[in-house]
Amino acid sequence: MPQILCIANQKGGVGKTTTAVNLSAALALSKKTVLLVDCDPQANATTGVGIDKAALNQTLYHGLIQQQEATHNLIVNTQIQRLKIIPSRVELIGFEVEMKETPGREMVLKRLLDGLRADFDFIILDCPPALGLLTLNAMTAADALIIPLQCEFYALEGLGQLIQTVKRVRRHLNPGLRIAGILLTMFDTRTNLSHQVAENAAKYFKSLLFKTRIPRNVRLGEAPSFGKPILLYDAASPGALSYVSLAKEILNHRT
């Protein structure tokens, strides 16, 4: 069965886009067909796979607002054969305002993606750092949620709000939404803080915690400036190996 995974956390800088881009690449290099959907007006996932935003004629915004573009026409190829993207650009920021009074506005992305499900093994949704209408659309469209959790002091702060949002989405919009897992990011084996956050997360979330931990890694931070997923930029780096491990973990526990 095709699976739609939403990468979300309202905190910025926790590794959402890094995870969306590199998990998508790792799944595609595992011979799965993958569609990455950039739901963030900052469009970092779009540039992270090497797409020139200025050269685009249409983006996710046109599919959501105008709903007159054929959905397949929104899809752009990437440097990885099995990985495609529906790109974003800054105009997507208008979605929240323009759809404010529209009935069923939380279901727009779901309707757009319904016609694409059969063409891909995985659809990965990269969300903005806010619990606004774009993130709500992504959760409504998704089968499961991956929550990146950075190994820093305030890591668990705000996570309760996200969990409450998930519960509301289940109640009113998407009863089947589940949490696929919580992913520890920016893990530094040299610091007590990282180990402490990992211990606290394991205590609170138990089986929801992915075994894979994404390390704090210079090469992982450099890759987006070259418009490449880490597996194309430095496949032997700890960051690349961690996303290969995450992809395997997801594939092994797929339901």
Side-chain angles (χ1 to χ4, degrees):
M1 281 286 291
Q3 194 168 70
I4 300 180
L5 298 175
C6 169
I7 318 290
N9 188 326
Q10 76 269 28
K11 286 175 71 69
V14 301
K16 284 187 300 296
T17 298
T18 298
T19 295
V21 167
N22 293 303
L23 174 59
S24 296
L27 288 168
L29 292 168
S30 299
K31 300 187 176 178
K32 300 298 178 183
T33 53
V34 182
L35 176 65
L36 174 61
V37 183
D38 191 347
C39 302
D40 187 348
Q42 296 178 85
N44 291 331
T46 299
T47 53
V49 294
I51 304 299
D52 179 7
K53 291 181 288 189
L56 295 169
N57 292 319
Q58 53 199 17
T59 65
L60 179 62
Y61 171 82
H62 300 93
L64 294 177
I65 294 289
Q66 298 174 2
Q67 297 182 33
Q68 57 190 9
E69 299 289 348
T71 307
H72 286 84
N73 292 340
L74 301 171
I75 297 173
V76 177
N77 293 329
T78 74
Q79 302 162 78
I80 298 175
Q81 184 182 359
R82 291 182 179 85
L83 175 59
K84 317 287 185 187
I85 185 171
I86 295 181
S88 178
R89 210 164 40 197
V90 69
E91 66 260 23
L92 185 60
I93 203 167
F95 174 75
E96 308 249 350
V97 176
E98 294 179 51
M99 299 296 286
K100 189 176 180 181
E101 305 299 328
T102 305
R105 57 191 175 277
E106 305 91 351
M107 309 288 289
V108 179
L109 181 60
K110 182 181 188 303
R111 289 195 293 269
L112 186 146
L113 295 178
D114 275 347
L116 297 174
R117 260 189 184 268
D119 298 336
F120 296 94
D121 296 310
F122 288 92
I123 298 177
I124 309 290
L125 311 178
D126 183 33
C127 293
L131 294 178
L133 187 57
L134 284 164
T135 298
L136 198 57
N137 263 263
M139 288 187 185
T140 302
D143 300 307
L145 176 69
I146 293 175
I147 304 172
L149 186 71
Q150 83 278 30
C151 292
E152 294 178 359
F153 186 70
Y154 293 112
L156 297 175
E157 193 175 84
L159 203 54
Q161 186 184 357
L162 178 59
I163 300 298
Q164 288 305 312
T165 299
V166 171
K167 288 178 180 176
R168 284 196 296 272
V169 170
R170 281 179 184 151
R171 257 195 322 269
H172 301 293
L173 297 165
N174 184 3
L177 180 65
R178 60 186 177 84
I179 297 176
I182 293 169
L183 176 68
L184 293 178
T185 61
M186 305 175 197
F187 186 84
D188 189 339
T189 56
R190 300 166 300 177
T191 68
N192 290 330
L193 181 58
S194 280
H195 291 285
Q196 186 180 350
V197 171
E199 286 172 17
N200 288 340
K203 184 171 79 173
Y204 289 120
F205 301 112
K206 300 182 173 65
S207 61
L208 277 180
L209 203 64
F210 283 110
K211 292 183 175 65
T212 301
R213 295 171 178 177
I214 308 302
R216 189 176 289 279
N217 177 238
V218 172
R219 305 294 274 175
L220 202 53
E222 291 172 349
S225 64
F226 291 88
K228 291 183 177 183
I230 187 63
L231 284 160
L232 294 186
Y233 181 65
D234 187 350
S237 68
L241 297 176
S242 68
Y243 279 108
V244 170
S245 172
L246 178 63
K248 286 178 181 174
E249 198 171 341
I250 287 169
L251 289 169
N252 288 339
H253 292 87
R254 222 172 145 193
T255 55

